[in-house]
Amino acid sequence: GAVVSQHPSWVICKSGTSVKIECRSLDFQATTMFWYRQFPKQSLMLMATSNEGSKATYEQGVEKDKFLINHASLTLSTLTVTSAHPEDSSFYICSAPLGPTQYFGPGTRLTVL
Amino acid sequence: AQSVTQPDIHITVSEGASLELRCNYSYGATPYLFWYVQSPGQGLQLLLKYFSGDTLVQGIKGFEAEFKRSQSSFNLRKPSVHWSDAAEYFCAVGENFGNEKLTFGTGTRLTIIP
């Protein structure tokens, strides 16, 4: 149990376009989900907390208008990178808690050309 | 604010040898502690966790970790490593129940030599 999926696993897009990444909890419900960003050979940086039925909570320094988060249901959160630029290229990982334990998705590799 | 320190950026171990990865945390209350493993290009897999009770916790893949409050440590151990254990290992501390944010250490990259 406690499986989290992400889609797509990788995406390549042109600069200026928007990209949507989905995060799903497959066998449990989650009122909150978390979005992380990871640069090569670095740790995970928490970007925002996705809250079902309400606005996301963003960490300091994360642009709300650049990284749109929608938590449409108890099993789905989406991250949309708007007007993507090459510096947005990264590995994006989501997680969902079951009790105090976070379960992570497999990640999405975003490359912006 | 809570913080996690993993002093070793990179560790190389021979296959079959024992392993210990260090983790120190800073947190005002009793922490929730986790070890995750990440293979290249993959998400994070939970190895083990500590919430309370027995300070020696067993995890998957033959890993164990010991919570030592006096040393603010939660070191990960394995008696005999396998080539498939090569990966990045992250220690994390969680906040109190109801706010499941995790703070991660910087990670330790484990290389296994034949």
Side-chain angles (χ1 to χ4, degrees), chain A residues 32 34 36 38 41-44 46 49 59 91 93 97 99-107 109, chain B residues 32 34 36 38 41-46 49 51 88 90 97 99-102 104-107 109:
Chain A
T32 58
F34 298 88
Y36 296 83
Q38 185 179 32
K41 301 187 186 301
Q42 295 189 23
S43 189
L44 282 73
L46 179 64
T49 303
E59 296 300 303
F91 193 56
I93 307 177
T101 303
Q102 293 284 344
Y103 292 92
F104 287 81
R109 172 75 58 194
Chain B
Y32 294 150
F34 306 84
Y36 288 88
Q38 184 181 34
Q42 303 294 315
L44 275 67
Q45 181 182 23
L46 178 68
K49 58 192 176 186
F51 297 152
E88 188 86 19
F90 292 98
F97 210 104
N99 178 355
E100 303 91 351
K101 277 189 184 181
L102 289 181
F104 283 90
T106 49
R109 183 159 60 96

Side-chain angles (χ1 to χ4, degrees), chain A residues 44-109:
Chain A
L44 282 73
M45 181 191 78
L46 179 64
M47 299 174 64
T49 303
S50 174
N51 303 299
E52 190 269 336
S54 64
K55 292 183 180 180
T57 306
Y58 291 82
E59 296 300 303
Q60 193 171 10
V62 177
E63 300 176 60
K64 302 178 183 181
D65 296 332
K66 160 70 89 175
F67 300 101
L68 299 180
I69 291 173
N70 182 33
H71 199 139
S73 73
L74 289 172
T75 59
L76 173 64
S77 174
T78 60
L79 168 69
T80 301
V81 183
T82 63
S83 186
H85 291 284
E87 58 265 30
D88 298 323
S89 298
S90 191
F91 193 56
Y92 293 88
I93 307 177
C94 71
S95 72
L98 183 60
T101 303
Q102 293 284 344
Y103 292 92
F104 287 81
T108 297
R109 172 75 58 194

